[in-house]
Amino acid sequence: MSAPLPQKGLGPGLPVMAPQQQQQPGMPPQGALREISPVYLCRIGQETVQDIVTRTMEIFQITRATQLPNGVTQSQAAYQDRFGKLQEHLRQLTLLFRKLRLLYERCMEMTPDLQESPAELVPYVSEETAAVRVEPCSPAVIQERQEVLEKVRQKNQEMKVLMDQMRNLLWDVNAMLTMRK
């Protein structure tokens, strides 16, 4: 029912197999898969997500360029060409999502100690909020925080004054341009 995933390299410019092993091009050896780090898999996952976004944007561009059938006859060849492109992009998207799922599962297998439950990742799961334990800070940290906050307030005030001056200047320029016409 579903087509098998094509075996491609794991990413552009990234070595897939050891130099001493010879196999089919693009097919990593089984030993190399065991030596791939989770960071490398995440990088491949990031590239896969970028490919998914690119393909999705291309699909939207094709559909945006497609004219609705409002009584105007279109050539059957153009319709078939667009339909073929859409089908190919959708097929590629399916493969990319499968690849992403495999990468995710492999990362989860390799890093069982780093797995967090979704409740820990999403800040507001329900109406109830869990009590947060706050450890007391040293007086030096509190003082530094206050100093930084004060500097931010001062900079914000300076920026507000500058924005007001720019607004007034633009108002005057626009008024002069209007009077000249």
Side-chain angles (χ1 to χ4, degrees):
M1 198 149 111
S2 64
L5 290 174
Q7 297 294 326
K8 292 197 240 177
L10 296 175
L14 303 173
V16 174
M17 51 185 192
Q20 68 269 23
Q21 296 176 338
Q22 295 295 324
Q23 287 193 348
Q24 292 178 350
M27 297 269 303
Q30 282 300 95
L33 285 179
R34 302 229 184 268
E35 297 171 6
I36 294 176
S37 72
V39 174
Y40 184 75
L41 289 177
C42 289
R43 182 175 174 190
I44 296 168
Q46 179 182 4
E47 292 171 0
T48 304
V49 169
Q50 289 172 346
D51 289 345
I52 288 171
V53 169
T54 302
R55 291 277 181 185
T56 305
M57 288 175 41
E58 289 173 2
I59 287 173
F60 286 130
Q61 288 173 353
I62 291 171
T63 54
R64 189 178 350 150
T66 303
Q67 189 176 17
L68 295 175
N70 54 1
V72 179
T73 57
Q74 290 183 340
S75 77
Q76 191 67 15
Y79 170 77
Q80 288 297 330
D81 182 46
R82 284 193 181 130
F83 185 73
K85 285 181 183 178
L86 279 175
Q87 291 294 82
E88 178 62 22
H89 283 304
L90 290 173
R91 189 182 68 74
Q92 289 293 326
L93 268 178
T94 304
L95 294 176
L96 287 170
F97 274 111
R98 286 182 190 161
K99 179 180 176 182
L100 189 61
R101 170 53 79 182
L102 292 173
L103 288 168
Y104 171 77
E105 289 172 354
R106 184 72 177 144
C107 281
M108 289 294 123
E109 289 173 6
M110 294 174 76
T111 58
D113 53 332
L114 296 178
Q115 294 179 11
E116 297 180 8
S117 66
E120 294 173 357
L121 296 176
V122 180
Y124 302 107
V125 175
S126 64
E127 296 294 323
E128 303 171 9
T129 57
V132 178
R133 195 180 104 211
V134 179
E135 295 182 19
C137 296
S138 69
V141 172
I142 294 171
Q143 182 181 358
E144 183 180 353
R145 180 180 182 274
Q146 292 298 327
E147 290 171 0
V148 169
L149 285 174
E150 185 58 36
K151 285 181 184 178
V152 168
R153 282 188 197 107
Q154 288 175 355
K155 289 292 182 185
N156 284 344
Q157 187 62 34
E158 290 173 12
M159 288 176 55
K160 185 179 181 296
V161 168
L162 285 173
M163 287 189 297
D164 289 339
Q165 289 174 351
M166 290 297 292
R167 189 179 303 118
N168 290 336
L169 180 64
L170 285 172
W171 183 265
D172 292 341
V173 168
N174 285 335
M176 283 190 247
L177 288 174
T178 304
M179 293 175 77
R180 195 174 4 167
K181 291 181 183 178

